Each structure stands twice: as structure tokens, then as C-alpha cells.
Amino acid sequence: MVACSAVRGVRRMVGILPALLVGGCGVPREGVRPPDIILIVVDTLRADSILDPEGIVSTPNIDSLARDGISFSEASAQAPMTLPSHASMFSSRFPFEMGVLNNGEHVPEDLPLLSQWLQEQGYDTRAVISLGVLAGTKDDPGLRRGFDSYDQEVYFMEDAPRVLERVLDSLSRRDPSRPLFFFAHFCDPHEPYDAPGNSSVAAQVAIDAAPCLKYSLAESPPWRGEVTLEKGEHILEITSAVRFRIRHVQVGTDRDPLPLTWQEGKVMEYGRAMRIAFEVSSRSSQPLAVHLWMDDEIDVDETRSRYRQEVEFVDEHIGRILGDLKGVGLYDESLIIFTSDHGESLGEHGAFGHVEFLTEPMLRVPLIIKPPAGHPGWKRLAENAEKVVPLLDLTPTILEIAGLPPLPGQRGSSLLTRHDTVITAETHTPQAHWDLVGLRDERFKMIYIADREVYVMYDLVNDPQELEDVFSRCGQERAAWIDRLPALAAAAASHRDRGDMAVDAETNEMLRALGY
């Protein structure tokens, strides 16, 4: 057993820095145009997919960006969930403070956002997203606020090739007379874990016993087709040699879907045959839309293999974006940030996915910051490259590098200043099974399970896999956290008690299909 005062290991030295220019933190001179800002987020990306010294995952394009910038080895999300984490990134506030605790919830209209702030500073603000969680709703614009162009041509999720097309199109439409803020969002490592290019694992889709589609389960694309049917009852039947599940199925128009009766199988349950009945009440020459989204059941080894394939697949497409930026002269002089909203557990602690826990695989993310060429903030960023840093600090860092005023109410601090940070993380019911809040520093992580009023603590230096709970032995070394954590949990609970966090039925359907 290791004593609490013993610390093994030495942080590795920061690599050789690029040549630096003398000067302050880089506030633009009066009349000088602020830099273009490119933010690339790959959803659900583990830090060790990029910080991969053994070379298990091949990401040459992201690696090239890391060589051109500063890579932060201990960056951490504030929540292992897409919307709370993005809202925290864009506002530099905690989820419990905003009241954005789960996907699908309302983003407060008075919450200052980076996009709005940059728009007010004269930026052309543009975004392309790949996941329906970030699309907002008809009643809640969510994170769309402040964007001149917010391309949300997605309901569930969209793969990298289509997202790349939309990104390049949006970039071509930028206003060159204004500085650019561009947010590009990819979701390819997100579950379901796909095998790009593998069409051999398939399901046969038939309507009234007439084959109409061979669906690639391994690639798992959300699919839409059209059929013209006579009045009366019809049967949609799906069969495969492997076990699969239907994530989403709909027949009819988007505004008026037909009622479906499951005769065999059930949504989000695995099987080899699914049989669904529906009735067309009147004859029409207009075709009916059929929506299907399915995936196959895979084992642990295949899960990890496909996750790696998806990371490598998205790296290829990010390389295209970086190449395009270089081709139009936007790379060298731009501030470019690459990160993720949260990680993904691939079997650690017996878990797959995110949301549920505050373990390092679910929270730790890659973070690469490439300042504009010659920017004098390089050295100060590099001083924090081995520090524990929260994504809460992203907005303050962007604004300081750009020489712009801080975002009103921001809680984070710029990575151009020396960091000795305590990171706050949280995840909440109903999308998680428990309400968890946690604090961590360079050595310890303490988690409070609010439902049970129980503490768990890990010594991350001596136990990076988080296998031994040392709270009974070491809890008093972070005594202040013992009082602070229940207060954070209570602040989050106060939003739920107000009853203003309901998620509408359509959003619930989308979240269920995405595995939440």
C-alpha cells in the first residue's frame, strides 16, 4: 500500500519550442485585424487516441497540427456529455451553474456565449455540426446563438465525408472583409462504432416481402428512402445473419408519421429479425418516407477496433480541412484549436461509452492550440502543456490570444497564465444513473455520489487506472473538497427542482437513438 505522501514519477519535459517573438501576450495593436479562429471538435475522442506514444492509432494530420502548436497532455472536460460540455466550453461556466445538466435541455438565453461575443467584435461566425444534440430545438436555439451561419443539416449524426463537404462549402462562403470564427464538429468516434467501408455485414429490408434495401450494419448510416403503397396494412421486415438492433424507424412524413406496431423485436433491442406493421389509411400518389437507423452487435475487441478505425477515418478528413486552410492562406496566421467534448470508456471499469462516470477515459481529452505565427504567447502556453487544464479555460484563452475583451461572467482563466487548477466535473440523472460531482488536481480526484452521500477518491499519480479508493486514508489531504462537493451537487439539484429542464418528446426520441 502506498502512503498518501509518497509520489512516484516525474513529469516529462516540454519539448523544444518554436522560435518566439519578444513582447507581451499578443494584444493586437490598435487598428490591427484580430486573427481568424478555427475550432475543430471531434466528439467522443479519448486523449490517448492522439497522445499515443505506442502509435496504435494512426493520426498523421492531427499529429502534424500538434507539431505546429502546443499539445496539452492533461486536458479535461467538465462533463462526459455533449451538450453540457459544449455549453461549458462556449460560456466558460460550469454545467451546474448554467443549469445545462443533460443533453436536450434548454440553454439559458441570457448565458453569454463565445460565438455571440466574437460576433459583437466584428467576426464572421460560422459553424458546421454533425450531431443532432447540438442542433437546438424549435423553441430553444441552444448554441446557435451568435452564429451568422449554423449548418445543422443533421437529425441524428452525419459521417465525416458529408461533414467535410459542408465545412468546405461554408468556408468558401466566409466574408473575407471580417475576421473568421469557424466551429467544425465531427462525431465519427461516437457510438455506434462504425467500420467505414465495410459493407459485408448487412441486413435485408423488405416491405410486404418485396426486397427494397441491403443495409450495411457495420457502416450504420441513418438512411431515408421513399415507397408508394396501396391503402391497407403493410409489413416492414428486416432480417440478418448477425444480431442487430433498430435505433430509429419511421414511416410517413416527418410531420405525420404513421403508427407502428411491433410484431417481432423492439427498438434498441438486439435480434436477427424485426417485423413491424403499419397501415396506410388512404391511397395516395405521394410516396411515403421510410427512415431507418440500425447497427450490429459487436464484441469488446471489435468495439475497440472500430473505435480506432473511426478515429483514423476522421483524421483523414481533418487533414483535408487543414490542407484547405493552407491553400487559401488561413493556416499560418490563424489561431487553430483542436479538442473533444469528452472521452469514451472502452472497457475501463467494465464500462463502454460516456455519460455514466467521471473516470479519466470519459473526461480526459486531447487539446492542441496553434497560435498565429509569431504570436508571443507560445512560451506561456508551453509552460502549461503538462498541467491539469479544464476545457472551461478554452474561451478565455481564445479571447486573450486574439487580444479581445474577456467574456462576461467567464469562470475559466487563460492558458497564457500559469496554472495550478482544480478541475470540476459532473454528470447527472436521468441520462446518467447517478448524480456525480468531482474535483481533481495534479494528484488526487475526489467524487461525491450525491444519491448515496458517498465519497470516492483516487491517487492518480500512483493509481492512474483509478482502481483503489483511498478516501478513508487520504480524504483529509483534500479536506476542503469534502464540504465543497455536496454544495456543487446541491447547486445542480436546484435547477432540477425548478422543473424547467423537461426534454420534449422529439428530442427524447433522438437521444434514445443516440444511446442516451
Side-chain angles (χ1 to χ4, degrees), residues 129-287:
I129 65 166
S130 62
L131 197 63
V133 171
L134 297 179
T137 67
K138 60 184 178 182
D139 300 319
D140 174 22
L143 298 180
R144 295 198 306 263
R145 286 190 288 113
F147 281 101
D148 297 312
S149 171
Y150 194 84
D151 183 342
Q152 56 185 66
E153 187 189 318
V154 59
Y155 179 60
F156 295 117
M157 58 170 52
E158 199 146 51
D159 63 9
R162 179 59 187 141
V163 174
L164 175 65
E165 290 178 14
R166 293 159 53 208
V167 166
L168 297 181
D169 178 69
S170 185
L171 282 170
S172 73
R173 298 173 186 271
R174 69 187 185 277
D175 181 353
S177 69
R178 301 159 64 193
L180 172 68
F181 171 53
F182 197 96
F183 169 42
H185 179 271
F186 291 84
C187 69
D188 293 78
H190 195 288
E191 191 262 347
Y193 308 112
D194 301 336
N198 181 358
S199 59
S200 63
V201 183
Q204 305 297 327
V205 181
I207 295 180
D208 300 333
C212 61
L213 173 67
K214 182 180 180 181
Y215 183 99
S216 174
L217 292 167
E219 293 180 297
S220 187
W223 177 84
R224 182 184 185 278
E226 292 184 337
V227 294
T228 301
L229 298 172
E230 298 288 336
K231 178 181 178 180
E233 184 176 86
H234 300 273
I235 300 295
L236 172 65
E237 190 169 21
I238 307 165
T239 57
S240 177
V242 302
R243 283 166 56 84
F244 69 95
R245 64 183 168 183
I246 296 178
R247 290 176 166 267
H248 174 71
V249 58
Q250 180 178 300
V251 180
T253 65
D254 291 336
R255 292 186 178 183
D256 190 21
L258 298 176
L260 303 179
T261 301
W262 286 78
Q263 296 183 343
E264 184 177 358
K266 187 178 181 181
V267 70
M268 292 301 286
E269 288 190 1
Y270 287 106
R272 287 187 171 85
M274 306 283 171
R275 183 180 173 89
I276 303 167
F278 60 93
E279 185 171 355
V280 177
S281 59
S282 61
R283 183 178 181 184
S284 172
S285 60
Q286 296 298 318

Side-chain angles (χ1 to χ4, degrees), residues 334-402:
S334 294
L335 166 59
I336 301 177
I337 303 102
F338 174 86
T339 191
S340 181
D341 56 340
H342 54 74
E344 184 84 333
S345 185
L346 295 175
E348 297 86 355
H349 292 255
F352 287 85
H354 47 278
V355 175
E356 291 295 349
F357 304 121
L358 299 181
T359 54
E360 288 302 283
M362 292 192 187
L363 290 176
R364 202 159 69 89
V365 295
L367 174 59
I368 300 166
I369 300 178
K370 187 203 77 65
H375 190 283
W378 280 89
K379 182 178 180 180
R380 297 188 183 189
L381 286 171
E383 288 172 350
N384 290 314
E386 301 291 319
K387 296 284 189 179
V388 170
V389 299
L391 292 185
L392 201 74
D393 292 343
L394 200 54
T395 282
T397 303
I398 289 171
L399 293 174
E400 183 167 1
I401 291 175

Side-chain angles (χ1 to χ4, degrees), residues 194 300-310:
D194 301 336
V300 171
D301 290 340
E302 182 67 10
T303 294
R304 292 170 178 161
S305 174
R306 288 192 186 180
Y307 183 88
R308 174 181 53 78
Q309 291 177 61
E310 289 210 76

Side-chain angles (χ1 to χ4, degrees), residues 28 32-37 121 123 178-180 333 402-404:
V32 175
R33 171 176 166 141
D36 296 314
I37 302 166
Q121 312 302 319
Y123 273 75
R178 301 159 64 193
L180 172 68
E333 303 304 320
L404 299 171

